[in-house]
Amino acid sequence: MTEETPGFDEKPDVPSGANSDDVEPQAATPSSEEAAAPAGDVQQTAALTAQLDQVRTALGERTADLQRLQAEYQNYRRRVERDRVQVKEVAVAGLLSELLPVLDDVGRAREHGELVGGFKSVAESLETVVAKLGLHQFGEEGEPFDPTIHEALMHSYAPDVTETTCVAILQPGYRIGERTIRPARVAVAEPQPGATPAAAKEEKADDEESGGTEEV
């Protein structure tokens, strides 16, 4: 005789009038791990965002440092180049200053007609070389006196000048670029005190002549 296992053939209670197929399965309740998954994704995203912000900040700082170093390097190069040019100008000016007495002798010889023969060729070659090095002579009779480039050795008064004027060049001046290595030594003349300049006299005479002529 077969023993029946209690409850083995028992079926779940089904409401009367309803088929067993009509019974809907109960919704599965999510586990705690599944519920915690979205919260973990949010935290991970926030951590990645924070790391990205840190990287961007560090990149900005490194970029600023690089730009600052580049600017400092450019300034350094400009200072070195400026110093190099100044040192060169000082060296050339020192050398040419030693040659100025020789150039003065050449100028005096030219004025007296003694610059002839081989001496003339040597003198002209010397003047060509110093000109290539940037040496320029200045000082002309009749130009206004400028104390920054002229040195007055003689002084007089003249009725035909309207301002302090260089009337004679006793020794020419020399410059290299904008650097004056020797001022021009000149004789100057100032307007005669109380005298009417020649230009003013001519203008006054012209006014009198035009005013004295009557139209018919």
Side-chain angles (χ1 to χ4, degrees):
M1 183 174 182
T2 305
E3 295 181 358
E4 295 182 0
T5 304
F8 181 79
D9 294 332
E10 294 181 356
K11 296 182 179 181
D13 295 335
V14 178
S16 58
N19 296 326
S20 59
D21 295 338
D22 296 336
V23 178
E24 296 181 357
Q26 295 182 356
T29 303
S31 63
S32 59
E33 295 180 357
E34 294 176 349
D41 292 342
V42 172
Q43 293 178 355
Q44 185 178 6
T45 302
L48 292 176
T49 303
Q51 292 179 359
L52 180 60
D53 292 339
Q54 292 178 356
V55 171
R56 287 176 176 172
T57 302
L59 178 61
E61 293 175 353
R62 299 294 84 79
T63 302
D65 293 340
L66 179 60
Q67 292 174 346
R68 182 171 62 254
L69 289 175
Q70 186 177 9
E72 292 177 355
Y73 177 68
Q74 293 296 334
N75 292 334
Y76 169 76
R77 288 188 58 186
R78 283 193 289 267
R79 287 196 304 269
V80 170
E81 181 65 19
R82 183 173 62 250
D83 293 342
R84 186 185 67 81
V85 173
Q86 290 178 350
V87 169
K88 179 181 177 181
E89 289 180 351
V90 170
V92 172
L95 172 63
L96 295 179
S97 296
E98 299 296 329
L99 294 176
L100 294 186
V102 179
L103 296 175
D104 292 337
D105 292 339
V106 170
R108 284 190 290 267
R110 182 178 285 111
E111 291 176 357
H112 291 86
E114 300 175 355
L115 198 63
V116 294
F119 179 46
K120 178 179 180 182
S121 299
V122 173
E124 291 176 348
S125 297
L126 176 62
E127 291 174 338
T128 300
V129 170
V130 297
K132 288 182 178 179
L133 292 175
L135 184 68
H136 298 285
Q137 178 179 308
F138 66 90
E140 298 288 342
E141 294 184 5
E143 64 185 8
F145 175 74
D146 184 351
T148 61
I149 60 174
H150 297 135
E151 180 182 351
L153 301 182
M154 299 177 63
H155 177 270
S156 63
Y157 293 97
D160 57 344
V161 297
T162 58
E163 59 181 342
T164 304
T165 305
C166 300
V167 294
I169 306 300
L170 307 178
Q171 195 175 51
Y174 289 94
R175 67 163 62 96
I176 301 175
E178 299 298 327
R179 180 194 297 269
T180 299
I181 62 175
R182 190 181 75 181
R185 290 164 180 156
V186 299
V188 300
E190 291 185 295
Q192 188 72 32
T196 303
K201 287 183 178 180
E202 293 179 0
E203 183 178 355
K204 183 177 180 180
D206 292 341
D207 292 341
E208 291 177 352
E209 183 178 353
S210 60
T213 303
E214 296 182 357
E215 296 183 358
V216 179

